[in-house]
Amino acid sequence: MENKDAEMKKQEREQVVELGSDITKSKRGSIYTLTIIGQVEGHQILPENCKTTKYEHVLPLLAGLEESDDIDGLLLLLNTVGGDIEAGLAIAEMIAGMKKPTVSLVLGGGHSIGIPLAVCTKKSFITPTASMTVHPVRMTGLVVGAPQTFRYFQRIQEQIADFVTANSKISRESFERYMMATGEIATDVGTILYGKEAVASGLIDKLGGLNDALMALHRMIDKNGRGQGSGKS
């Protein structure tokens, strides 16, 4: 029994180091805390000097959390500049499809593809000093100069807008207006929203910090019972 407990503690320590995650167990339930930091890494490996969140680690983890009888809720902490669109949307879709209680908290920044990740949970929070950058889809490297490329970008933007508006209270018109705004960001197109602005726009549910996010998560767990999941609120 002691060997089993020691092995479990070792695995938890490894998760903290590798994924920036942690499991908190209390009389109110077990909460899995997952961080999305730096850049969301997709099919291309980023340089070693970049902080990354690797989607191939996160996806199976989320599937395991959904099926686990030992986890009652997920707390998602975000401080990301964005990254690979497909990888970010894949993680966001996984979380949005979970039955268990989920809450997100934007700390520092939830930029670009971090926006779908911030709104994919059943309840979202943002700190007053945190910011979120809404901008059009961009691509670095070789791009084929053809109408089909432009149309491809348009379709991706439509998919992002569909997901964000379906999982938040912001209207599609407002989201696209923020996305295509000029004069807001130097040498770029888009809009930067800070804490109160993100809430006022309907993009994020509430202004708050860690305690607020945890209280909301505990309320979901208490309301639905451990292991019972939670519907969209």
Side-chain angles (χ1 to χ4, degrees), residues 10 16 18 56 58 69 76-77 79 114 141-142 144 182 198 209 228-229:
K10 181 181 178 182
V16 172
E18 294 295 327
E56 71 270 23
V58 177
D69 293 330
L76 188 68
L77 301 180
N79 189 1
L142 180 64
V144 178
T182 58
Q228 297 300 310

Side-chain angles (χ1 to χ4, degrees), residues 5-19:
D5 290 340
E7 183 63 26
M8 289 180 64
K9 289 181 180 178
K10 181 181 178 182
Q11 291 178 354
E12 289 177 3
R13 287 195 298 270
E14 289 176 350
Q15 284 185 333
V16 172
V17 174
E18 294 295 327
L19 296 174

Side-chain angles (χ1 to χ4, degrees), residues 172-222:
R172 189 184 185 92
E173 180 182 2
S174 295
F175 184 73
E176 291 182 343
R177 185 175 69 252
Y178 287 136
M179 182 184 288
M180 304 306 295
T182 58
E184 292 287 328
I185 307 175
T187 69
D188 203 352
V189 177
T191 306
I192 299 176
L193 299 173
Y194 287 91
K196 290 182 179 180
E197 297 170 317
V199 174
S201 70
L203 190 60
I204 298 296
D205 293 325
K206 291 186 177 181
L207 197 69
L210 179 59
N211 183 59
D212 301 296
L214 285 171
M215 286 181 64
L217 191 52
H218 281 306
R219 283 194 296 269
M220 288 185 197
I221 294 172
D222 293 341

